[in-house]
Amino acid sequence: MSLLENKDDVKELVDNLNFKEKVERSLMLIKEAYEKYGNGLVVANSLGKDSVCVWDLAKKVSREIRGFIVTTRFKPKETVQFMHETLAQYPEIKVYKNDAQIPEKLYETDPDKCCDILKVQPTRRAIDDMKVDCWITGLRCTEGRTRTDFGEVEERDEGLTKLNPILIWKEREVWQYLALYGVKVNPLYAEGYRSLGCWPCTNITTDENERAGRWIGTSKCGGECGIHTRPLKNVNGDGI
Ligand code: SF4
């Protein structure tokens, strides 16, 4: 049976597979998806540690696999610099950004709307523009309270499959992979961040929860920007 159709218990896989088995499983998931979707398989790269890990895995499967980055006006300068370095190395990555006018400090007054406009809408545009049939993300089920119920393969939107090939990796295993294979990461991790987003909504914390530093002080604290929860295809209007 294809690994893309597996019904394995995700929580058991997190604890029962060792590092090497997880790497092999991730590579196999991407390989099978590439065989199935070809050029319609595209990696979403947020420039965080999980994304660069998944991007490196995808490049091991095929140099031809394309990617996209969704950036915003609020990305830290270190992330912007890292993005330019990444693009210089991988011209097959396209960048999407929404420069529409938005109310000042919308990230404080309505962060859900801010994320919808600045992150979800450009992600929809990327999926449409690049004719994506299956997108790959770096989502992991041990990252935080909002990430426990995802699958390695999701069919949330009609005509769009989502592959989360490192869903079962622990934070330590991501760093293990990046160190072993010499994958360059965003320098902000050296400052103590564990999860990176826009500067108004990203903090350093000592909390056990990996995503606890995101959207502190809002109802969204430790939560999601929406690209993993909102519809991304066949959406009328802005979908908000
Ligand atoms: S992370 Fe913050 S600044 Fe960035 S889009 Fe979301 S609410 Fe806006």
Side-chain angles (χ1 to χ4, degrees), residues 72 74 106-107 110-112 114-116 118-119 197-201 214-215 220 225:
T72 78
F74 297 121
L106 187 61
Y107 50 77
D110 192 344
D112 281 327
C114 188
C115 276
D116 252 318
L118 300 187
K119 290 188 169 181
C198 300
W199 63 259
C201 310
R214 307 289 294 275
W215 299 286
K220 220 170 154 64
C225 69

Side-chain angles (χ1 to χ4, degrees), residues 166-181:
I166 61 165
L167 185 76
I168 60 171
W169 291 32
K170 297 174 184 167
E171 184 182 21
R172 185 256 302 162
E173 289 161 334
V174 174
W175 286 114
Q176 196 172 345
Y177 180 92
L178 299 173
L180 281 168
Y181 296 105

Side-chain angles (χ1 to χ4, degrees), residues 2-209:
S2 162
L3 202 51
L4 293 177
E5 289 158 23
N6 84 83
K7 300 275 183 272
D8 297 339
D9 184 310
V10 166
K11 290 179 183 65
E12 279 183 18
L13 293 173
V14 170
D15 293 327
N16 295 344
L17 294 192
N18 65 37
F19 172 73
K20 185 164 180 278
E21 289 167 335
K22 289 186 184 182
V23 173
E24 287 169 355
R25 183 180 178 95
S26 303
L27 286 169
M28 187 53 70
L29 280 166
I30 298 170
K31 183 170 176 289
E32 286 190 9
Y34 189 53
E35 283 165 3
K36 182 169 180 182
Y37 298 103
N39 204 35
L41 182 73
V42 177
V43 180
N45 187 340
S46 73
L47 301 164
K49 65 186 189 309
D50 309 299
S51 283
V52 295
C53 177
V54 156
W55 179 249
D56 194 80
L57 288 164
K59 292 283 105 176
K60 283 188 168 120
V61 171
S62 170
R63 295 287 308 167
E64 304 298 316
I65 294 177
R66 301 174 299 156
F68 70 83
I69 290 171
V70 168
T71 191
T72 78
R73 68 200 74 181
F74 297 121
K75 289 291 179 183
K77 65 178 187 327
E78 292 87 348
T79 302
V80 174
Q81 174 63 26
F82 185 57
M83 177 177 80
H84 290 310
E85 290 166 14
T86 303
L87 294 171
Q89 190 179 357
Y90 299 109
E92 65 272 34
I93 297 178
K94 288 185 76 174
V95 177
Y96 293 85
K97 184 177 178 215
N98 190 350
D99 288 321
Q101 272 212 323
I102 58 171
E104 204 178 328
K105 296 202 173 176
L106 187 61
Y107 50 77
E108 282 180 10
T109 55
D110 192 344
D112 281 327
K113 182 147 189 161
C114 188
C115 276
D116 252 318
I117 296 169
L118 300 187
K119 290 188 169 181
V120 179
Q121 286 184 25
T123 302
R124 287 185 187 131
R125 192 147 51 83
I127 283 168
D128 184 50
D129 185 45
M130 295 182 78
K131 302 192 177 1
V132 179
D133 298 313
C134 177
W135 64 304
I136 300 181
T137 88
L139 185 140
R140 295 178 15 256
C141 67
T142 54
E143 273 179 285
R145 62 178 173 82
T146 56
R147 300 215 158 171
T148 56
D149 292 325
F150 289 88
E152 287 177 314
V153 184
E154 297 175 47
E155 303 283 352
R156 208 180 60 220
D157 294 280
E158 198 182 333
L160 178 67
T161 300
K162 182 170 161 222
L163 185 70
N164 304 312
I166 61 165
L167 185 76
I168 60 171
W169 291 32
K170 297 174 184 167
E171 184 182 21
R172 185 256 302 162
E173 289 161 334
V174 174
W175 286 114
Q176 196 172 345
Y177 180 92
L178 299 173
L180 281 168
Y181 296 105
V183 181
K184 199 170 170 202
V185 295
N186 190 319
L188 285 173
Y189 287 112
E191 303 298 320
Y193 293 94
R194 288 171 69 203
S195 177
L196 299 176
C198 300
W199 63 259
C201 310
T202 305
N203 285 280
I204 297 169
T205 74
T206 53
D207 195 290
E208 196 56 34
N209 179 347

